[in-house]
């Protein structure tokens, strides 16, 4: 007789756990998308910020912070309105890295009409998932240049760069820039051949031609038009394709805060240069006149601000050394009689050091104005020349204080005394000692000084000066 096997029943707790798990799976399958892990930027705002002027430490800090803020707000899109003549290579690469690593789609828009994305701006445009331009704008001229070379006026293309620089260092810079820009072009599926021309030949393009040559993705009149044209567009971000849903998305415009504005002011090479000189001259005045307080306080603040700015800027330390040497020589001229040799040498070292101070590669718009250098060199020469004249005249003046000033002076006895007593001289009362008797009101001549006691000789009444 076969054995009857009773059906096994799972414990109640096990049944409840399985039922709850099944219900949870069904619930999560039909939950609204907002409670499920959604695509980054699917429900956030559109974040916009502007970069105007040279790409420097302030622009880098502002762009990096804004991109991080957009990521934190789960933005649907970041729009960078760009108008720049170029800038520092290090600042540009930091912005490019942040754009490439951003999970939020970035659209770089060269606008308004008349704007440009030259030099470093071209790299930022190529690195963005979406590259757009307004009518009447241009991009290109991405050849690395040295500080101090004249940049093109707004709206005009810079002069063509030589196709094959003879300087090996320049050739190395150009090859590196070509590889970098071609890599960005291939990453975004844009015209890599023209990217190479932009570096080797300093080629530039207006907006319409850039669209025809597939250097950019679209042309728009303004930011609202750009957002309208990007609705439903598919872009690749961090290796995955996203469809932009911008309908009804609010546009949040980010503005630089006080820190960014202060950084933009002090990292202007001309401002940093002036702050450096004010700081040095303030400390010189404080050390030469201890206790003045104001020159030392102002000088220390300006010097620290200048050093912070030059830490962020590409500084040639040989130029900084020559500048400091020039100031030291001009100061020495005021104390060491060299018939102007130290002063002239100091002005020459000061001017040469100032010209070399920011002589680095790849940063148009970050050179110190030669006119400012000439003016400050002339002012420094006049300042130390006048100071030297005052010092020479002061040395030639007779001594009016101390032992030398009292020797030979005439005073009046305030009392009768035979050894020691008191006299009035130069409006002051002194203890006096005399080898001969002195009567009250008699004039005495000071012969020497023993501590705080004057050694005097009475003047006979017949010889007293009138």
């Amino acid at each position: 007789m076969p054995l009857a096997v009773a059906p096994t029943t799972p414990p109640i707790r096990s049944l409840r756990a399985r039922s709850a798990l099944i219900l949870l799976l069904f619930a999560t399958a039909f939950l609204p998308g907002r409670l499920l892990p959604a695509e980054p930027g699917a429900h956030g705002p559109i974040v916009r910020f502007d970069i105007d002027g040279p790409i420097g430490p302030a622009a880098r800090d502002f762009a990096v912070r804004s991109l991080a803020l957009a990521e934190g707000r789960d933005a649907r899109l970041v729009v960078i309105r760009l108008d720049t003549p170029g800038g520092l290579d290090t600042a540009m690469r930091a912005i490019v890295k942040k754009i490439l690593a951003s999970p939020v789609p970035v659209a770089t828009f060269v606008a308004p009409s008349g704007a440009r994305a030259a030099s470093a701006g071209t790299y930022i445009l190529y690195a963005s998932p979406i590259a757009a331009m307004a009518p009447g704008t241009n991009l290109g001229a991405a050849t690395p240049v040295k500080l101090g070379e004249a940049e093109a006026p707004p709206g005009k293309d810079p002069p063509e760069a030589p196709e094959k620089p003879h300087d090996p260092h320049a050739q190395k810079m150009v090859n590196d820039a070509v590889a970098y820009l071609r890599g960005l072009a291939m990453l975004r599926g844009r015209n890599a051949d023209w990217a190479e021309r932009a570096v080797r030949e300093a080629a530039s393009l207006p907006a319409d031609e850039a669209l025809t040559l597939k250097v950019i993705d679209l042309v728009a009149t303004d930011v609202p038009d750009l957002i309208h044209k990007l609705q439903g567009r598919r872009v690749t971000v961090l290796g995955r394709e996203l469809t932009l849903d911008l309908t009804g998305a609010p546009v949040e415009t980010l503005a630089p805060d006080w820190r960014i504005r202060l950084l933009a002011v002090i990292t202007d090479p001309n401002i940093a240069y002036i702050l450096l000189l004010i700081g040095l001259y303030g400390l010189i005045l404080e050390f030469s006149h201890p206790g003045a307080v104001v020159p030392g306080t102002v000088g220390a603040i300006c010097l620290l601000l200048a050093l912070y700015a030059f830490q962020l800027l590409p500084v040639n330390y040989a130029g900084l050394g020559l500048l400091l040497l020039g100031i030291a020589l001009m100061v020495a001229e005021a104390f060491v009689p060299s018939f102007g040799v130290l002063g002239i040498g100091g002005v020459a070292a000061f001017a040469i050091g100032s010209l070399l101070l920011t002589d680095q590669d790849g940063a148009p718009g970050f050179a110190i104005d030669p006119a400012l250098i000439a003016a400050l060199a002339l002012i420094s020469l006049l300042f130390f020349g006048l100071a030297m004249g005052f010092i020479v005249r002061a040395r030639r003046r007779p001594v009016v204080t101390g032992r030398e000033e009292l020797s030979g002076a005439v005073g009046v006895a305030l009392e009768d005394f035979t050894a020691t007593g008191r006299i009035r001289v130069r409006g002051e009362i002194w203890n006096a000692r005399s080898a001969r008797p002195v009567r009250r009101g008699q004039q005495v001549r000071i012969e020497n000084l023993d501590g705080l006691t004057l050694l005097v000789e009475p003047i006979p009444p017949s010889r007293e000066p009138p």
Side-chain angles (χ1 to χ4, degrees):
M1 180 176 179
L3 295 174
V5 180
T8 60
T9 304
I12 295 177
R13 289 182 180 178
S14 178
L15 283 174
R16 288 179 178 176
R18 291 179 182 179
S19 300
L21 180 60
I22 292 172
L23 288 175
L24 180 62
L25 291 175
F26 274 100
T28 55
F30 293 100
L31 276 174
R34 181 169 295 183
L35 300 180
L36 291 173
E39 282 188 349
H43 306 284
I46 297 173
V47 174
R48 169 198 167 173
F49 63 91
D50 301 342
I51 298 179
D52 288 307
I55 305 295
R60 175 199 63 196
D61 196 58
F62 179 47
V64 170
R65 286 172 178 266
S66 298
L67 289 169
L69 184 62
E71 181 180 347
R73 292 184 180 179
D74 197 25
R76 307 188 197 189
L77 177 70
V78 174
V79 177
I80 305 175
R81 192 194 61 77
L82 183 65
D83 181 11
T84 178
L88 300 176
D89 178 76
T90 52
M92 174 271 293
R93 289 179 182 260
I95 296 175
V96 167
K97 288 179 182 177
K98 189 62 179 177
I99 291 175
L100 296 178
S102 174
V104 180
V106 177
T108 298
F109 182 38
V110 184
S113 296
R116 57 177 169 167
S119 190
T122 303
Y123 295 82
I124 295 174
L125 195 65
Y126 261 89
S128 302
I130 302 167
M133 298 175 69
T137 59
N138 66 286
L139 82 159
T143 305
V145 296
K146 292 185 178 181
L147 279 174
E149 293 183 358
E151 62 177 76
K156 295 184 179 180
D157 295 339
E160 287 192 358
E163 184 176 354
K164 293 183 179 180
H166 298 291
D167 183 6
H169 180 62
Q171 181 69 60
K172 179 180 178 180
M173 290 170 51
V174 168
N175 290 339
D176 177 72
V178 167
Y180 189 54
L181 195 55
R182 284 189 67 95
L184 295 175
M186 295 173 65
L187 177 66
R188 300 304 184 192
R190 301 198 179 105
N191 192 329
D193 293 334
W194 187 88
E196 182 169 351
R197 286 187 56 213
V199 177
R200 295 194 183 279
E201 304 173 14
S204 294
L205 279 179
D208 294 336
E209 293 184 21
L211 182 62
T212 303
L213 295 177
K214 296 183 179 181
V215 174
I216 61 174
D217 301 312
L218 69 153
V219 174
T221 56
D222 51 23
V223 173
D225 184 41
L226 172 68
I227 295 174
H228 175 72
K229 291 182 176 180
L230 290 179
Q231 171 61 31
R233 189 183 185 92
R234 297 193 63 82
V235 295
T236 301
V237 178
L238 297 181
R240 57 175 181 161
E241 285 194 357
L242 301 176
T243 301
L244 296 179
D245 181 12
L246 308 178
T247 304
V251 178
E252 296 183 4
T253 302
L254 304 181
D257 56 12
W258 67 269
R259 180 183 180 277
I260 302 297
R261 290 194 295 268
L262 176 63
L263 189 61
V265 172
I266 65 174
T267 53
D268 183 315
N270 297 299
I271 301 297
Y273 177 65
I274 293 174
L275 288 174
L276 176 65
L277 296 184
I278 293 175
L280 292 174
Y281 290 158
L283 293 182
I284 290 172
L285 290 175
E286 181 66 31
F287 290 144
S288 59
H289 298 81
V293 180
V294 174
T297 302
V298 175
I301 293 173
C302 292
L303 185 60
L304 289 175
L305 288 175
L307 293 177
Y308 175 71
F310 283 123
Q311 176 194 3
L312 300 176
L313 294 171
V315 175
N316 187 324
Y317 290 100
L320 180 60
L322 279 172
L323 189 149
L324 297 177
L325 176 62
I327 293 176
L329 291 176
M330 287 187 285
V331 173
E333 178 65 39
F335 298 96
V336 180
S338 66
F339 304 99
V341 175
L342 290 177
I344 295 173
V347 171
F350 176 87
I352 296 173
S354 300
L355 290 172
L356 297 178
L357 187 59
T358 54
D359 187 17
Q360 295 289 335
D361 298 324
F366 279 86
I368 298 176
D369 190 351
L372 176 63
I373 294 174
L376 291 178
L378 180 60
I379 291 173
S380 299
L381 180 61
L382 293 175
F383 173 77
F384 286 109
L386 292 174
M388 183 181 66
F390 288 139
I391 290 173
V392 170
R393 284 197 294 271
R395 288 179 178 176
R396 291 178 179 176
R397 290 175 183 171
V399 179
V400 294
T401 59
R403 181 187 299 269
E404 292 81 2
E405 185 269 340
L406 289 173
S407 180
V410 176
V412 178
L414 298 178
E415 58 189 2
D416 296 335
F417 62 91
T418 56
T420 60
R422 295 182 304 161
I423 68 171
R424 184 187 300 275
V425 60
R426 306 287 190 190
E428 298 176 341
I429 298 177
W430 287 78
N431 292 325
R433 186 168 66 242
S434 173
R436 293 189 296 173
V438 178
R439 53 188 174 81
R440 180 179 180 180
Q442 185 178 4
Q443 292 185 339
V444 295
R445 178 179 291 105
I446 300 171
E447 301 293 339
N448 208 337
L449 182 67
D450 182 14
L452 297 178
T453 302
L454 300 178
L455 305 180
V456 301
E457 179 71 20
I459 300 175
S462 59
R463 298 182 183 178
E464 288 183 1

